Amino acid sequence: MSPKLFILSALLIFSPAICRTGFSQPPQNQKLKCTALIPAPVAYDTETSKISFKKAVAGLEPWQQQEAYRITVKGKKVKVEAHTAEGRFRAQTTLNQLKTWGELPQGVIFDYPRFRHRGLMIDESRSFKGVAFLKKQMDAMALLKLNVLHLHLDDSAGWRIESEAYPDLTAKTAWRYGWDYFEWEKGKYRFGIEGEPGVSGGYYTKAELKELVAYAAERFITIIPEIEMPGHSMEVGYAYNDVWCQQADGTPFTGSWDLCPGSEATFQLLEAVLEEVMDIFPGPFIHVGGDEATMKTWPLCTRCQARMHAEGFTDIKQLQGYLMRRVEAFVRAHGRRIIGWDEILETGVPEGAVVQSWRGISGGIKGSQAGHDVVLSPSTHCYLNYYQDLIRKEPPACGELVSLRFCYNYEPLAAGMVAEHILGLQGNLWCEYIPTTEHAEYMLYPRLFAIAETAWSPASAKDFFNFRERALHLQQIFRFLGYNTFDLETESELARSGFQRFEQLEESKRHENKH
Ligand code: ACM
Ligand code: ZN
């Protein structure tokens, strides 16, 4: 158990009962609603209490059985049943949360997940967070029964993972001028060297990443590393000019945000780095980005044009498909699967690739219909870097309003999706506007509670007003444990009442016009 969870358990064992909902004697007709847990469990005191645990889980999918558990509290006795260490771990996190309400409730909780992929993505490139921050968030994830940490380890704003094969990636781009992303942008994207006055940044060593992998495994969390390509990759070209497109006179297109799919140097670098990445991260998935390539230099590049000619391509986009297919084959040959942002669907990827739907849910519909497994993180509901309350009240953020209510009311399974291909969902935290770890936590909590409940609990167990009560309580616990959460007590009436996103912008504009 982590020190934090230990403190949490200790706190609760000795704390007076602070139950707000009469939880130790749940009203018979309220059952689920009275269980003060996030995520809400599948069932409380049902028929499954009367049969053996083995029988109770018999109809579940194998991955659900793996995490299923049953807790029986009778008098002072607590009995935990599970088929695996993972199931026992999930039960323990339930007990840790229950103890925060004082006395354990008498009765039976039977529980298992709705989705197998319950994730959080953290952007390390735009602002570097460090090992302690990631461990702390994994403690929170475990308490919320989240099981995937997706690390966006590189982007134009900085490379964050040690590479022995290509050491200049960190030596030349892990530090930059300007204390935050926008200062760096204003200063025209200048990188620096560690220790130079005025630079900020950092990167994870291989040893640190292995330590994080082990820490994650103890909490039944899988880390998915992301190496972004071919877009969002200016820093790679800055470190190794050969991966930038080439002009007719042989000079590189300096400052291009895309890698050159015509250059063999690009594939040599990507393959060497991916080998190092797969050596560190043992999980089944490697994220290879794929979003928002500008493709601006490709039509002008001698090597890209040669590649198009040799392959018989007629559309510039086919170069992205070519790069993705080569990388997918490489990753598959190493026994892993790629995940890519939903743009990968536009240029043809093999069936084994997982699609991460972020531009709404159409990638989830098209991807699952085409036989791809899918992770859902539509920006409209799952981007935790978007505003969580009125613009005038909040620090600058990007996007529109994703209030707690809006985030919570997201139902992942939409018409047209092939349900068996939907692996689950993720909250994403992009960090252009998030320069510090305190700010990152402020954006994560309590909205990550909502992602966790949508990902774990049955849709029928969800109820926003009941959830909000539980979130208010868990927020207090998180604050006690040292997390810098957004304060739900101060949430505006407009956000709480489920205001729509464009209305939030209008309301804020009206406010600005008045001043
Ligand atoms: C993304 O938000 N560009 C995946
Ligand atoms: Zn090129």
Side-chain angles (χ1 to χ4, degrees), residues 228 232 291-292 341 343 358-359 379 383 428 430:
E228 175 71 90
H232 287 278
D291 59 319
E292 299 182 310
W341 299 109
E343 283 91 334
W358 72 278
R359 297 173 301 175
S379 60
Y383 271 31
N428 289 348
W430 298 104

Side-chain angles (χ1 to χ4, degrees), residues 244-246 259-263 297-298 301-304:
W244 267 333
C245 281
Q246 213 171 60
L259 303 175
C260 173
S263 168
T297 54
W298 298 355
C301 166
T302 47
R303 291 185 303 211
C304 282

